[in-house]
Amino acid sequence: MPGTLSIREGVFGSWQNAVEYAPTAGINALEIGVRPLDQLKELAAAAEAVGVQILTLAGSVNLDQEESIDAAIQTLEACHQLRVGIFFCSATGKELDREIHMARLRNLGDEAKTRGVTISLETHPPFCQNADGMLQTMSELNHPNVRINLDTANIYYYNEGLSSATELERVIDVVASVHLKDTDGGFHSPNFPVLGEGIVDFARIRGILEAASFTGPMTIELEGPVVSGKDLPACVAICKACTDFAKNSGLV
């Protein structure tokens, strides 16, 4: 697989730990959270010094709030300055009409395009809860710089009776990034185990990504009981187990 494996910084407890310990878990790329630009530059410089790449900048936007949209534009500018190609974004909004939401998101797509950045929308309601929602949103936006982040566990968390592999197959043409996360499959279940220990059909997912010649970031996401309350060495070991699974399964 040509996709690049990365991991979310949060599992390590701090960005300093992430930069230091991600390589020991076999990962040389990170998804980092939004923070002030000076802090982002400090983080990026420290990562570059040890050969760790920042692949995605993670944040959110509330499309009901103009100040949140302004903050998202600042995040896009930060991506541009850091030469990070993808803004992983959880988009929300419930107070205004959908038409307004789509117009605002399309405008963000224009802002992203001028900066050479792609907005990758997380598998979250109300706009990208499942393949039906993702395809509707992509059709209404019709913007090359707004795409989808397919989270392999969130499909089960937010929906009943769906398969993440089937949903990925339906939207693969508009997927810019993937979150590799396993699940026990329960609706709204917070149990996201080590990759390969849940129900996600990663073999089928690998086949879909491979057939599409997917080359985007594939980011391990660990949260919930699998890492909650565990010390740094334990978290690093869990990350290593996930990395080994991803590599041995041909995902990367």
Side-chain angles (χ1 to χ4, degrees):
M1 277 297 301
T4 302
L5 187 66
S6 71
I7 192 164
R8 301 200 80 181
E9 62 167 301
V11 67
F12 298 100
S14 71
W15 73 257
Q16 291 90 347
N17 285 343
V19 168
E20 180 176 358
Y21 289 100
T24 69
I27 306 172
N28 293 302
L30 294 173
E31 178 170 276
I32 61 173
V34 174
R35 42 175 56 84
L37 184 57
D38 59 339
Q39 295 179 25
L40 287 172
K41 288 182 175 179
E42 178 188 6
L43 190 163
E48 183 178 7
V50 295
V52 173
Q53 183 181 6
I54 308 303
L55 284 187
T56 47
L57 190 56
S60 62
V61 62
N62 185 335
L63 296 170
D64 291 329
Q65 301 174 359
E66 291 187 7
E67 59 270 26
S68 182
I69 294 169
D70 291 341
I73 294 172
Q74 293 177 19
T75 299
L76 291 169
E77 178 60 24
C79 286
H80 173 67
Q81 292 198 34
L82 296 174
R83 296 186 178 88
V84 172
I86 291 181
F87 171 26
F88 161 79
C89 181
S90 173
T92 59
K94 61 182 181 180
E95 297 176 2
L96 303 177
D97 292 340
R98 183 179 176 94
E99 183 177 351
I100 297 174
H101 290 151
M102 292 298 101
R104 290 180 167 185
L105 195 49
R106 194 177 302 110
N107 179 67
L108 284 175
D110 290 342
E111 296 283 354
K113 185 174 182 179
T114 64
R115 294 167 171 84
V117 177
T118 296
I119 298 170
S120 193
L121 298 176
E122 170 66 313
T123 307
H124 280 172
F127 307 113
C128 296
Q129 180 170 330
N130 49 42
D132 284 344
M134 293 170 182
L135 292 172
Q136 179 184 355
T137 296
M138 291 297 99
S139 176
E140 291 176 359
L141 290 174
N142 190 28
H143 201 295
N145 290 75
V146 185
R147 287 293 181 257
I148 296 297
N149 177 85
L150 195 288
D151 186 305
T152 57
N154 282 3
I155 290 295
Y156 299 91
Y157 185 87
Y158 289 111
N159 304 274
E160 295 182 271
L162 298 181
S163 155
S164 56
T166 298
E167 298 300 279
L168 173 63
E169 192 168 45
R170 293 181 60 199
V171 300
I172 185 61
D173 289 343
V174 290
V175 170
S177 58
V178 172
H179 270 185
L180 297 175
K181 185 165 66 178
D182 216 336
T183 173
D184 64 2
F187 181 57
H188 285 173
S189 170
N191 186 18
F192 305 115
V194 170
L195 297 185
E197 295 184 2
I199 69 159
V200 174
D201 189 348
F202 286 109
R204 186 178 169 203
I205 284 170
R206 179 194 58 77
I208 295 166
L209 295 170
E210 189 172 51
S213 299
F214 178 80
T215 59
M218 301 179 68
T219 302
I220 295 170
E221 182 176 19
L222 290 162
E223 59 183 350
V226 69
V227 291
S228 180
K230 293 184 171 61
D231 62 16
L232 181 59
C235 288
V236 172
I238 291 166
C239 294
K240 181 66 165 56
C242 290
T243 302
D244 290 345
F245 175 84
K247 293 179 178 179
N248 293 337
S249 302
L251 285 163
V252 293

